[in-house]
Amino acid sequence: MTTHTESPAAEPSERRSWLREHSELGVCVLLLALGALVLTDALTMDVDITQRGPVGPKTVPVVVGAGLLVIAALLAVDVLRGGRGEAEGGEDIDLSEPADWRTVLLLSGVFLGAAVLIEPLGFPIAGALLFWGAAFALGSRRFDRDPLIAAVLSLVTYAVFNNLLGVPLPGGPLMGVL
């Protein structure tokens, strides 16, 4: 007579397998947390009765938060019943290739660098570095053209936001010139 005993190592692998098959539940948890955050923030909002109209400033956040909770619940039920999302089938993307982490890290570094440099250097210079760095990270190696395009893009963006839209951006050392 043979008795069947499960090894302790089988249980964690089965758990991982179940989590892989139901990985969309992570999106449910994210939607649930976001909905709870929006609802909590909306319901604890301090609103004076004289400042609100017939609908009030709490209405839209409460509707959005409740909608997020409902969507999270419906998605969780669908996933637990065996529903699965379709794999992305981009026409120019090879889904069997791994992610290009070098590009992701370069873009992250360029973005963080621009965020740090925007205050001391101003938007025109930090923006030009951001545009040029992003072009470099994405594969452009035209050192004769890219800095010029980045500078023009940055100056036009600065002028549109600062002068046309009235959104003040830090000018940095170029403040007197622009």
Side-chain angles (χ1 to χ4, degrees):
M1 178 168 177
T2 313
T3 60
H4 180 67
T5 59
E6 290 187 17
S7 67
E11 187 176 311
S13 69
E14 287 176 12
R15 190 176 315 139
R16 269 184 293 214
S17 174
W18 188 88
L19 286 174
R20 274 186 205 262
E21 291 174 9
H22 298 90
S23 61
E24 291 93 347
L25 289 175
V27 175
C28 299
V29 170
L30 179 68
L31 290 173
L32 183 72
L34 191 60
L37 178 69
V38 169
L39 272 178
T40 302
D41 196 35
L43 295 175
T44 59
M45 187 185 306
D46 187 29
V47 178
D48 186 15
I49 192 72
T50 60
Q51 293 177 337
R52 69 181 191 102
V55 175
K58 291 183 177 183
T59 305
V60 171
V62 167
V63 169
V64 169
L68 285 168
L69 294 178
V70 168
I71 289 171
L74 291 174
L75 181 60
V77 168
D78 181 53
V79 169
L80 292 174
R81 287 184 175 172
R84 300 208 29 99
E86 288 184 31
E88 185 177 345
E91 63 187 50
D92 60 346
I93 299 171
D94 185 5
L95 297 175
S96 64
E97 289 292 318
D100 183 7
W101 289 107
R102 178 184 178 274
T103 302
V104 171
L105 292 174
L106 278 172
L107 282 172
S108 298
V110 166
F111 181 75
L112 290 174
V116 168
L117 294 174
I118 195 168
E119 196 61 42
L121 297 181
F123 183 84
I125 296 173
L129 292 173
L130 172 68
F131 292 136
W132 188 18
F136 181 83
L138 293 172
S140 179
R141 300 296 185 261
R142 295 287 308 265
F143 297 112
D144 57 334
R145 176 190 70 181
D146 291 346
L148 180 62
I149 293 172
V152 169
L153 270 173
S154 182
L155 288 172
V156 167
T157 303
Y158 178 78
V160 166
F161 275 85
N162 202 51
N163 301 338
L164 295 178
L165 297 176
V167 178
L169 295 174
L174 297 177
M175 192 60 144
V177 178
L178 300 174

